[in-house]
């Protein structure tokens, strides 16, 4: 507490400040310990062959190229469908829908969806997309299941980003004779782009780290397509992501060196995703301030 003559430091303030610093230091030390442990255990398994080949007893190779490809396909397929739906839902809720029971129900439903355990999504995806729709174990089944999981994340982040845009932008656009959609497309969405990008990239991070839901829906196959022409048909085939292969390596196969190698690759990917979030958000924020 400060007075006009001197600064008064209470013992309780000093204790509280010390506890806050201790909690912050513990978080940093814990993160560093996990990273160092995974790095020490997995660095011996990661090499060019590990990243570009598939595991084959006949060829004597151990690799995760097929799992990397499956992960990329699931990310692209999921985000191509989930992003426009999530952003569109957020625009409707924030800009078009009138506050009332309908909006409350929709927002409550998105919050419930974001809190459902992923294993339940996996069971639903297996029963509905896999068996009822006849898609079986496939990357498409896994992607459709993941869409349900990441939609709340994208929708809520976009909503919050749109709420941060000052109302003066809307009033100014209306005063100049701009239509509703023109205002949203040229003013509101560009202004909210840092928050939207953050939501999208966080959704990608959840897809990369998901395992339980995909174990029930996408399967665990790790073969690479024999030709580029067969790449399009791969979405209808079973395919295990890197997290699925990590789980299988550590449990069914007992190959912990491969499991830690995959874990190290996943850590690098998560780091790059977070770095991309910061860079893109800062870039669009600077561009917005420049305008």
């Amino acid at each position: 507490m400060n007075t006009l003559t001197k600064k008064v430091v209470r013992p309780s303030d000093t204790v509280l400040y010390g506890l806050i610093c201790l909690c912050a230091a513990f978080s940093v030390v814990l993160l560093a310990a996990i990273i160092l442990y995974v790095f020490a255990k997995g660095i011996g398994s990661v090499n060019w062959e590990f990243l570009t080949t598939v595991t084959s007893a006949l060829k004597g190779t151990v690799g995760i190229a097929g799992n990397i490809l499956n992960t990329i396909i699931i990310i692209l397929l999921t985000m191509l469908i989930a992003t426009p739906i999530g952003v569109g839902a957020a625009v409707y809720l924030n800009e078009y829908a009138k506050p009332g029971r309908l909006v409350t129900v929709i927002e409550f439903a998105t919050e419930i969806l974001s809190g459902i355990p992923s294993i339940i999504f996996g069971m639903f995806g297996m029963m509905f997309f896999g068996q009822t729709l006849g898609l079986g174990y496939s990357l498409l089944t896994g992607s459709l299941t993941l869409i349900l999981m990441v939609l709340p994340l994208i929708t809520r982040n976009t909503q919050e980003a749109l709420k941060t845009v000052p109302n003066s932008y809307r009033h100014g656009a209306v005063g100049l004779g701009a239509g509703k959609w023109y205002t949203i497309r040229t003013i509101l969405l560009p202004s909210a782009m840092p928050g939207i990008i953050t939501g999208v990239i966080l959704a990608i991070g959840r897809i990369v780290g998901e395992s339980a839901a995909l174990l029930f829906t996408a399967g665990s196959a790790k073969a690479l397509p024999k030709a580029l022409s067969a790449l399009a048909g791969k979405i209808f085939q079973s395919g295990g992501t890197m997290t699925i292969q990590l789980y299988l390596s550590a449990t069914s196969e007992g190959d912990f060196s491969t499991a830690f190698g995959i874990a190290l690759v996943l850590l690098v990917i998560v780091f790059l995703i977070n770095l991309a979030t910061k860079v893109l958000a800062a870039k669009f924020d600077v561009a917005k301030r420049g305008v």
Side-chain angles (χ1 to χ4, degrees):
M1 181 179 68
N2 296 330
T3 66
L4 295 176
T5 57
K6 64 179 181 178
K7 181 178 181 180
V8 178
V9 180
R10 296 178 178 177
S12 58
D13 294 338
T14 303
V15 173
L16 183 60
Y17 179 75
L19 289 175
I20 293 173
C21 292
L22 182 63
C23 292
F26 177 76
S27 301
V28 174
V29 170
L30 182 62
L31 175 62
I34 293 174
I35 293 175
L36 290 175
Y37 182 79
V38 173
F39 183 84
K41 290 285 187 177
I43 189 63
S45 300
V46 179
N47 50 46
W48 183 247
E49 181 184 272
F50 184 75
L51 299 174
T52 57
T53 62
V54 295
T55 300
S56 173
L58 295 176
K59 297 180 180 179
T61 58
V62 177
I64 58 171
N67 303 112
I68 293 175
L69 178 61
N70 294 334
T71 303
I72 293 173
I73 292 174
I74 280 187
I75 289 174
L76 293 177
L77 196 58
T78 302
M79 298 311 298
L80 282 175
I81 301 174
T83 302
I85 295 176
V87 174
V91 169
Y92 169 77
L93 292 172
N94 204 71
E95 304 299 328
Y96 286 99
K98 296 180 181 180
R101 183 172 297 177
L102 177 61
V103 174
T104 302
V105 170
I106 295 174
E107 291 181 345
F108 179 73
T110 57
E111 291 173 0
I112 292 296
L113 279 175
S114 63
I116 295 177
S118 58
I119 194 72
I120 297 179
F121 279 106
M123 293 176 64
F124 172 80
M126 178 183 66
M127 297 299 298
F128 182 72
F129 298 119
Q131 296 187 14
T132 304
L133 298 185
L135 297 176
Y137 283 98
S138 65
L139 295 178
L140 180 59
T141 304
S143 296
L144 292 174
T145 304
L146 288 176
I147 288 170
L148 302 179
M149 297 178 61
V150 302
L151 264 178
L153 181 60
I154 298 174
T155 302
R156 296 300 293 174
N157 272 275
T158 304
Q159 267 191 283
E160 295 303 321
L162 288 171
K163 289 178 181 178
T164 61
V165 179
N167 284 327
S168 58
Y169 287 19
R170 299 173 176 86
H171 298 157
V174 172
L176 293 172
K180 187 77 170 180
W181 172 241
Y182 184 83
T183 302
I184 293 172
R185 179 170 54 87
T186 61
I187 298 175
L188 301 185
L189 286 179
S191 299
M193 194 57 67
I196 296 173
I197 290 175
T198 299
V200 169
I201 297 182
L202 288 176
I204 294 175
R206 181 169 185 181
I207 294 170
V208 170
E210 185 54 48
S211 59
L214 294 177
L215 192 63
F216 283 92
T217 55
S220 59
K222 50 192 175 184
L224 286 169
K226 296 181 179 180
L228 290 176
S229 58
L231 189 60
K234 190 170 176 59
I235 64 173
F236 300 104
Q237 301 172 5
S238 172
T241 60
M242 287 186 288
T243 50
I244 295 297
Q245 185 57 43
L246 188 155
Y247 169 78
L248 294 176
S249 297
T251 56
S252 301
E253 302 170 10
D255 187 1
F256 287 98
S257 61
T258 299
F260 276 107
I262 299 173
L264 179 57
V265 175
L266 286 172
L267 279 180
V268 172
I269 292 174
V270 171
F271 172 78
L272 293 176
I273 288 173
N274 282 276
L275 182 63
T277 304
K278 298 292 185 181
V279 171
L280 289 175
K283 179 180 178 180
F284 277 94
D285 194 44
V286 169
K288 182 176 71 174
R289 291 201 302 266
V291 174

